[in-house]
Every structure is written in C-alpha cells, then in structure tokens.
Amino acid sequence: MMAEILEQPHALERTFNAEHKHAERFSRFARGKFRLIVLVARGTSDNAAIFGRYLLELTTGIPVSMAAPSVHTLYHAKLDLRDALVIGVSQSGAGTDINMVLESSRKRGAYTIGITNEAKSPMAGLVDDVFLVRAGRQKSVAATKTYTGQLMLFYLIACALGRECRLAEIGAIPEHARAALGTVDQIRALVERYRYMRQCAVVARGLNFANAVEFSLKLMETCYVVAERFSAADFLHGPIAMVEPNFPVLMFMPPGRTFASQSQLVRRLHGLRAETLVITPEDAKIPAATRAIRVPGSIPEIYSPIPYIIPSQIFAALLAEAKGIDPDRPRSLRIVTKTV
Amino acid sequence: MMAEILEQPHALERTFNAEHKHAERFSRFARGKFRLIVLVARGTSDNAAIFGRYLLELTTGIPVSMAAPSVHTLYHAKLDLRDALVIGVSQSGAGTDINMVLESSRKRGAYTIGITNEAKSPMAGLVDDVFLVRAGRQKSVAATKTYTGQLMLFYLIACALGRECRLAEIGAIPEHARAALGTVDQIRALVERYRYMRQCAVVARGLNFANAVEFSLKLMETCYVVAERFSAADFLHGPIAMVEPNFPVLMFMPPGRTFASQSQLVRRLHGLRAETLVITPEDAKIPAATRAIRVPGSIPEIYSPIPYIIPSQIFAALLAEAKGIDPDRPRSLRIVTKTV
C-alpha cells in the first residue's frame, strides 16, 4: 500500500500525459451534446465518482446523477437515457453490476465512457470510449493510486465538457501530490495516538467530500476502524448527537469555499470536547483543532482533492502498521469484488 | 417519539386521503413533461428522498439525481435544469440550503415541488406546487411520522408521473403500517440485548436502502450508537473487513428482489461469527440470523418500506429507553437545523 501511495506523482503524470489529447478529441465530439451525466461505480471507484459529480456539475453545468446499480441490475428499470453520458468507473473493469449498467444504458440511448486501469477488461470492450488510468497494476487490495488516477481523468473529462479548461493547472497536480507525500514525517509522529481508536467520523464538504468517504473506507478496510463518513452539513443534521468527549472527528480542511464552515465545526466540536484531526494548509490558523496535518504549498481548492487525499492514505497505511494489520490483505476482501 | 410512531397509520391515511386527488391533477399537467428529476433534502428528509429516487426511477423511467446542495449554495453552479422537476423535501420547510436550491433551480428553468409538513413555511411559499404531509406537528426531535408521510407523498408523485398507478395498493399502506406496530412486543423482548452496543452497521438494498440510512440516523441521534449505513453491495466492497466476531449488523430483509442476496449476506456474516438482527416477513426462513423481527402480513416489496421502517423506529425508541436517553431531546440537536 505504501509503495503504491508513493508511486502516485509518477502515475498521475503518466495518466495526464497519455490522456489529455484524448480529452481534447473527445471535447470536439462531446461539447454541447449531453443534457445529463450518470456516474456508476462501486467502492473506491464510487468515491472517485462522487468527486466527479461535484467537479462536473460545477464546471459543465450539466446535472449529474450517481446511479444506483440495483435499479438496473435487480429491478431492470427502463430509464430514458437519450442525450445522457454514462461514465462507469472501475479499477479492474471487471465489476459485473457496473458493466451491466453500462450495457443497459447504451441500449437506452446513452453514450458510454469507461474509466479503468485495464485496457483489456470487459468494461473497455463494451463502452463507446475508454479513458485509461496509467497507474500500473494495482497489487494492494487497498486502492490508492487508482483513486487519484480516476480523479485525474475526471479533471480531463470536465475539461472536455466544460466552459473553460486550465490544462496547465491540471498538469501541475502531480507536483502538488509529490509535495503532499512530504507529510509522512508529521503523520508518523502522531499516528500512534490513534492506535486504539475503534470508531470515528470523517467529515468534509463540497469538492473534498469524496475524500471523506474514501478516507473512511480506507480506515474500515485497512485498520478495521468503524469510520462513518459525512458531509459537514449532514453531520449537523443528526449524527453530531453521537459525539461525546474524546470522540475522534477527522476532517478535510482545504482552502476555499468550505473552509469557514469547517472551522466553525471544529470550534463546535472543541466545545463538545471531541478530538479533531484536520488535514489543512501549512499556513491555516485552526486554533481549536486537537491535531493537524499540514499540507505544504498553496493549492487552489478545485485542485486540492488529489494532494489532500494523500496524507489520509499515509495515515491509514501507518495506522494499520501501528495496529499490526497488513493493509495489503484485509480480512474478508479481494481486489475484485463482484456484486449484482 | 413513541407517541409519534404510533400516530403513523392515521397520519398516513390523512396524507393519502388529502393528497391523492392533488396527485391526479398534477398528473394531467406533468405526465411526459420532465426529462430529469432532482431531489434535494437534508437529514431524515434526505433519507425519504433516497427512497423517492429508487421509486421514481423504477416507476417513471425518468433519471433521478440526488442534489448536492453545496454545488448551489457554496459554489453557485449554473446547472441547466430545463425540462427538470426539482423536488425539495423538508419537514419544517425552513431549511435554508434546501430553499436556496429550490430558488436557484426555478431560475434555471426547473419546475419545483415542495414536500413539507408546514403549509405556511418558506418552502411552501417559493415552490410551484406543494404536497403536504398531514402528520400533525412534529414534537420529537427524532423524525418518524414525517419520514413515512414523505414516503407516502413519493408514492403519489410516482403515481402521477409513472406508467401505471395502483392507488388502491397505496391506500392499503396505512393498514400495513398498523400491522407493523404489532412488532412492539417482539422488540421489547429483545432490545435489552443491545443495551451496551456502541457500534453497528445497518444494511439493506434497493427500495429499502433508504430505510437502512434512516435506521442508522435514528440509532445515532437517539441512542448515540455509531451506526454505519450501507447498501449490501457496497458493504461487500470494503467495509465488511471491519466485521469481527459479535459485530452487530442490522438488516432489512423484505420479500422481493433483494431477499436472496440479503440471505447470502446473512450466511456470510454467520461465517464471520457476526451478530445479525434482521427485519423480515413472519414466514421467511432465515436460518443463520442471530435474531429476527417478524413483520406480519404479506406485503409486496414495492410497498414494504413504510411498514418495514416502523420496527426500526420502535427499536430505536426502546433502545434509547433502555440506555436511559430521552430520544425527544438528543444532545446537540434541535428540530430545525439550518445549514448553508
């Protein structure tokens, strides 16, 4: 897992370099063509799709729906998908249900894209167009480099469909990712504090909400922590009642539109004597947080999700080590899970 | 909370009787008019919207998107919502962010509906059409009768937009709800077993997935249990790794399309020596479940979500009592939470 975390800057560069011209070609075909985007995925790929949802709505103005696969696979709904772009996301390209949704969507009039690591996968064979994550083979059961690679491809697809495209800034993301790897010493110094943590909440908002869901998944599958995930607003609509003194709340606090409300939440949790661990810029003032992981450099919010997930991946890998768990072989799991 | 749980059959009858003609009128205006449905809500109302999502896609064939409010409220995205029906759900009708989304959606070309308890709320004043939950004033912070009332209105709206409408079967739901209240003695007999439960997972699929999310919210806010919520398929894509012997997994197992895969999951969890508590029909065979709550009568899957949520509401109320918590006044919460 740690080896694959460290590969990410290179993998992101490879994906960007190999796919940005593809995105330009796709743009000529696709711009103005779609009225709806549907994203379909499971597990970590579904978390990447949550990011895609925010990014695509913000930059293209096209409404996005996160598919519920069972609507297609169990109930065989006949959705009207004319003028729709359906994007399937799967590391292996072998997810049975995801491929069933892509197939039935094509029949119902949708144009389909696959985001996958595997050029020869069933998914790659059945979609209209494939965007390939060039992360190399994933060996750890805990997905890391494929998640950030999927995010990179969402940037390129958003570029292709959107009102403006800042390719140079997307091309700079691998550099931000490299800098974020520098948080490893900070994290090593604080991770033992969480050696006996059995439950927690992970909270973020907006463009980084996907990261909260992904961090909680990593904590569940590699550290066996019962880690709940919430958008900050949803957290206030009920779940905050479960917070008692010392309850750990892990938070993404990148710069930008969500920072002020996240700061308010930190103060409120401080008032409840909860433990807060925040992932935040090196120069941000967070007086009431219990612990902070400081991400170096100045990164605009829209490009923060890739560099900000990295400290949480490192945290999960090192916490697993501290707990004596092998994060590459979580109990009860395999790399490819097939569900219908 | 328990008083409002018991009011549900009457409240559902009132809502059905008062609104089904309204749905017929809406049908004449709306049928064939919309290419996309967007649902926007927070908290328990958002859980009702999750049900609405499945029901509307299955019965109308119109794709549904669950809105991420921050896309509108923080990032001010300019979504193209021509030909879209946007449905806001809010018990109080006073949720700031939900109303902001409805307002901006109207400006962007959408037709808007409000599902609320309060005829004089800000929401009711700003939407094109209001469907009123006739549940009477909600006094407990823990929403119960408003959740099932919102589900009832989703049935009527689906009827209005859908390919077929079985009004008699929808009208029979309050009777199923009344029968489901009969589970109270079973639940009283087993709830003390969970007196010291600090964490659990709640798992369902398809049309009852919304119930899993709602049950977990009730456990968090009224019993302070760290209760994770999953679709059964997502649960297998990672989170199942956190299940160790005696870990409690609470499951909805109504009859129908999801029953076979839920049974498989029970057997798998039995193999992991987890504790399973299933809510299932009185005559279903679930050999490997640790405990079962048996719902009387024979209810087709599509009409099961209202009667099936009721035992879980009773469970949460009685567990709160067993833990010595007042479920009507959870710490850190008020009835109306305002977020932007």
Side-chain angles (χ1 to χ4, degrees), chain A residues 253-255 259 279-286 293-297 308:
Chain A
M253 294 188 66
F259 189 85
I279 302 176
T280 198
E282 53 187 347
D283 57 354
K285 291 206 175 94
I286 321 277
I293 299 169
R294 300 292 187 166
V295 181
Y308 274 70

Side-chain angles (χ1 to χ4, degrees), chain B residues 247-259:
Chain B
F247 185 86
V249 182
L250 318 184
M251 297 172 64
F252 288 90
M253 296 187 65
R257 305 258 169 123
T258 65
F259 189 84

Side-chain angles (χ1 to χ4, degrees), chain B residues 35-64:
Chain B
R35 295 287 302 275
L36 170 68
I37 299 171
V38 178
L39 307 180
V40 53
R42 289 278 186 210
T44 288
S45 303
D46 199 34
N47 301 341
I50 293 173
F51 167 73
R53 182 266 162 79
Y54 282 85
L55 183 73
L56 288 165
E57 286 199 337
L58 292 186
T59 59
T60 73
I62 306 169
V64 178

Side-chain angles (χ1 to χ4, degrees), chain A residues 68 70-71 74-75, chain B residues 47-55 58 147-148 151 155 180 202-216 229-232 250-259 262 278-281 295 299-312:
Chain A
S70 70
V71 166
L74 293 185
Y75 299 106
Chain B
N47 301 341
I50 293 173
F51 167 73
R53 182 266 162 79
Y54 282 85
L55 183 73
L58 292 186
Y147 174 77
T148 50
L151 262 53
Y155 282 106
V202 189
V203 178
R205 248 201 122 176
L207 286 159
N208 273 266
F209 172 55
N211 279 350
V213 185
E214 174 59 10
F215 189 11
S216 82
R229 69 283 183 205
F230 301 103
S231 97
L250 318 184
M251 297 172 64
F252 288 90
M253 296 187 65
R257 305 258 169 123
T258 65
F259 189 84
Q262 289 288 82
V278 303
I279 301 176
T280 199
V295 181
I299 308 167
E301 181 187 4
I302 195 162
Y303 305 111
S304 66
I306 289 177
Y308 274 70
I309 196 64
I310 287 175
S312 77

Side-chain angles (χ1 to χ4, degrees), chain A residues 24-94:
Chain A
E24 275 174 41
R25 288 193 302 278
F26 174 64
S27 178
R28 288 192 286 278
F29 160 76
R31 198 174 289 263
K33 198 176 168 74
F34 304 115
R35 296 285 304 274
L36 170 68
I37 300 170
V38 178
L39 307 179
V40 53
R42 288 277 186 211
T44 288
S45 302
D46 198 35
N47 302 341
I50 293 173
F51 167 73
R53 181 269 161 80
Y54 282 85
L55 184 73
L56 288 165
E57 286 199 337
L58 292 186
T59 60
T60 73
I62 305 169
V64 177
S65 165
M66 305 281 299
S70 70
V71 166
H72 303 256
T73 60
L74 293 185
Y75 299 106
H76 309 291
K78 294 178 173 42
L79 291 192
D80 175 1
L81 293 172
R82 289 168 297 165
D83 307 325
L85 170 65
V86 178
I87 306 179
V89 191
S90 168
Q91 181 276 123
S92 66

Side-chain angles (χ1 to χ4, degrees), chain B residues 110-122:
Chain B
Y111 186 85
T112 54
I113 284 181
I115 293 181
T116 177
N117 251 33
E118 301 294 337
K120 292 178 180 167
S121 60

Side-chain angles (χ1 to χ4, degrees), chain A:
Chain A
M1 181 177 180
M2 192 55 97
E4 294 188 350
I5 291 170
L6 296 172
E7 283 168 41
Q8 289 179 106
H10 275 300
L12 288 164
E13 275 158 7
R14 278 199 305 272
T15 301
F16 175 80
N17 291 335
E19 293 289 335
H20 77 263
K21 292 225 166 94
H22 176 190
E24 275 174 41
R25 288 193 302 278
F26 174 64
S27 178
R28 288 192 286 278
F29 160 76
R31 198 174 289 263
K33 198 176 168 74
F34 304 115
R35 296 285 304 274
L36 170 68
I37 300 170
V38 178
L39 307 179
V40 53
R42 288 277 186 211
T44 288
S45 302
D46 198 35
N47 302 341
I50 293 173
F51 167 73
R53 181 269 161 80
Y54 282 85
L55 184 73
L56 288 165
E57 286 199 337
L58 292 186
T59 60
T60 73
I62 305 169
V64 177
S65 165
M66 305 281 299
S70 70
V71 166
H72 303 256
T73 60
L74 293 185
Y75 299 106
H76 309 291
K78 294 178 173 42
L79 291 192
D80 175 1
L81 293 172
R82 289 168 297 165
D83 307 325
L85 170 65
V86 178
I87 306 179
V89 191
S90 168
Q91 181 276 123
S92 66
T96 319
D97 43 6
I98 307 311
N99 289 338
M100 284 171 74
V101 177
L102 287 166
E103 242 174 334
S104 81
S105 300
R106 269 195 85 174
K107 281 188 201 142
R108 314 226 143 267
Y111 186 85
T112 54
I113 284 182
I115 293 181
T116 176
N117 251 34
E118 300 295 336
K120 291 176 181 168
S121 59
M123 175 185 278
L126 69 85
V127 290
D128 295 297
D129 196 0
V130 182
F131 282 79
L132 266 184
V133 177
R134 315 284 172 136
R137 179 60 52 91
Q138 177 186 322
K139 288 179 186 155
S140 174
V141 170
T144 53
K145 63 182 181 175
T146 56
Y147 174 76
T148 51
Q150 290 162 351
L151 262 54
M152 172 59 83
L153 289 176
F154 273 116
Y155 282 107
L156 294 177
I157 292 169
C159 235
L161 297 171
R163 299 188 182 101
E164 56 175 349
C165 175
R166 302 189 179 197
L167 214 53
E169 304 204 24
I170 299 170
I173 291 174
E175 212 38 64
H176 297 310
R178 195 165 280 122
L181 288 173
T183 55
V184 66
D185 292 336
Q186 293 177 59
I187 297 166
R188 203 178 286 283
L190 64 74
V191 77
E192 290 207 325
R193 179 177 178 87
Y194 304 92
R195 168 71 174 85
Y196 291 101
M197 177 171 77
R198 297 195 55 215
Q199 48 191 38
C200 69
V202 188
V203 178
R205 247 201 123 175
L207 285 158
N208 273 265
F209 171 56
N211 279 350
V213 185
E214 174 59 10
F215 189 9
S216 82
L217 180 57
K218 286 290 153 294
L219 290 169
M220 289 188 275
E221 62 185 4
T222 68
C223 304
Y224 310 152
V225 173
V226 178
E228 297 232 41
R229 69 285 182 203
F230 301 103
S231 98
D234 286 325
F235 187 56
L236 295 170
H237 281 261
I240 196 170
M242 72 184 169
V243 173
E244 42 201 35
N246 302 312
F247 185 86
V249 182
L250 319 183
M251 296 172 66
F252 288 91
M253 294 188 66
R257 305 258 169 124
T258 64
F259 189 85
S261 64
Q262 289 288 81
S263 294
Q264 259 183 349
L265 179 56
V266 170
R267 281 193 294 276
R268 177 134 184 230
L269 290 166
H270 181 71
L272 295 171
R273 291 183 289 141
E275 160 111 6
T276 47
L277 168 63
V278 302
I279 302 176
T280 198
E282 53 187 347
D283 57 354
K285 291 206 175 94
I286 321 277
T290 317
R291 290 288 185 277
I293 299 169
R294 300 292 187 166
V295 181
S298 169
I299 308 166
E301 181 187 4
I302 193 163
Y303 305 112
S304 66
I306 288 176
Y308 274 70
I309 196 64
I310 288 176
S312 77
Q313 296 169 335
I314 297 171
F315 183 92
L318 293 180
L319 182 59
E321 191 184 297
K323 285 179 171 250
I325 300 168
D326 177 356
D328 297 331
R329 283 173 206 79
R331 63 190 178 198
S332 311
L333 296 182
R334 298 184 203 161
I335 285 197
V336 180
T337 304
K338 297 203 180 191
T339 48
V340 176

